Amino acid sequence: RGKPRRTRNLSHTMNALMAQEVFSEACPASAPFFGYMGAAAALIFANLGAAYGTAKSGVGICSMGVMHPGLIMKSIIPVVMAGVIGIYGFIIAVVVGTKIKEPAGGGGAMVVPQYTLFASFGHLGAGLTGGLSGLAAGMAIGIVGDAGVRATAQQPKLFVGMILILIFAEALGLYGLIVALIMSSAGGGTCPST
């Protein structure tokens, strides 16, 4: 009488599974999602910036190379600097991704989370900081590189000025990398085991 046997078994199994998890407000089951989103944001946004910088400067190099093919190798510097922005995003994504800890236990044992919400938000912030800084730097490098290589082909004295502007644009991505590494190394505490 009462509940059918199948329903009783299912509810007993669900209760047993829920009793073996010790996720809390400080260490919810969703915490790794935010950490992985930080790693993804770092790589995606930095690569968007690197791709834009490469494409925009590449258009300028090709346009300039029609009239001055001897200057192509000298004008490849903006493309290299845009590629470095992608490396910054890759570094942040690897650092953040390796710090995400999966819950211990499982199977018949109690599931104990190892990754705090504080750490996950720190990693999300680190990824967004590095990724969006890389996006801004890549856009700046692309615009300066496009105009700079065209102008340098007509007036070679502009080359040093173009390089200085590119260095300051690259520094924006470097600032994001440094702050992201600091944010990702902030301690997140430990999850309660009971």
Side-chain angles (χ1 to χ4, degrees):
R1 320 266 171 202
K3 292 183 180 177
R5 184 174 180 171
R6 177 181 266 172
T7 307
R8 274 185 285 157
N9 288 341
L10 181 62
S11 66
H12 176 70
T13 305
M14 291 298 292
N15 289 336
L17 288 173
M18 290 170 65
Q20 293 178 355
E21 295 179 352
V22 289
F23 292 107
S24 64
E25 286 186 18
C27 302
S30 61
F33 169 78
F34 295 107
Y36 283 119
M37 284 304 292
L43 192 60
I44 290 167
F45 288 126
N47 281 346
L48 280 172
Y52 181 83
T54 301
K56 186 88 168 143
S57 344
V59 167
I61 292 169
C62 292
S63 177
M64 178 272 306
V66 172
M67 298 301 292
H68 304 279
L71 296 177
I72 289 180
M73 290 312 291
K74 185 179 179 183
S75 300
I76 209 82
I77 293 171
V79 173
V80 173
M81 294 180 84
V84 172
I85 298 294
I87 295 171
Y88 293 165
F90 176 72
I91 291 169
I92 297 165
V94 168
V95 167
V96 168
T98 55
K99 290 187 176 185
I100 299 171
K101 301 172 193 159
E102 65 178 289
M110 182 179 293
V111 176
V112 181
Q114 306 291 316
Y115 191 57
T116 64
L117 195 61
F118 181 87
S120 70
F121 284 158
H123 292 156
L124 177 63
L128 288 172
T129 299
L132 292 174
S133 296
L135 178 61
M139 292 179 73
I141 288 171
I143 293 167
V144 171
D146 182 23
V149 296
R150 292 175 197 249
T152 303
Q154 296 177 15
Q155 176 54 265
K157 291 180 182 178
L158 293 173
F159 182 74
V160 175
M162 179 189 75
I163 296 300
L164 284 173
I165 296 169
L166 288 171
I167 288 170
F168 282 108
E170 181 86 20
L172 299 174
L174 187 60
Y175 300 153
L177 171 68
I178 292 167
V179 172
L181 292 177
I182 292 169
M183 290 175 73
S184 69
S185 65
T190 57
C191 294
S193 56
T194 56

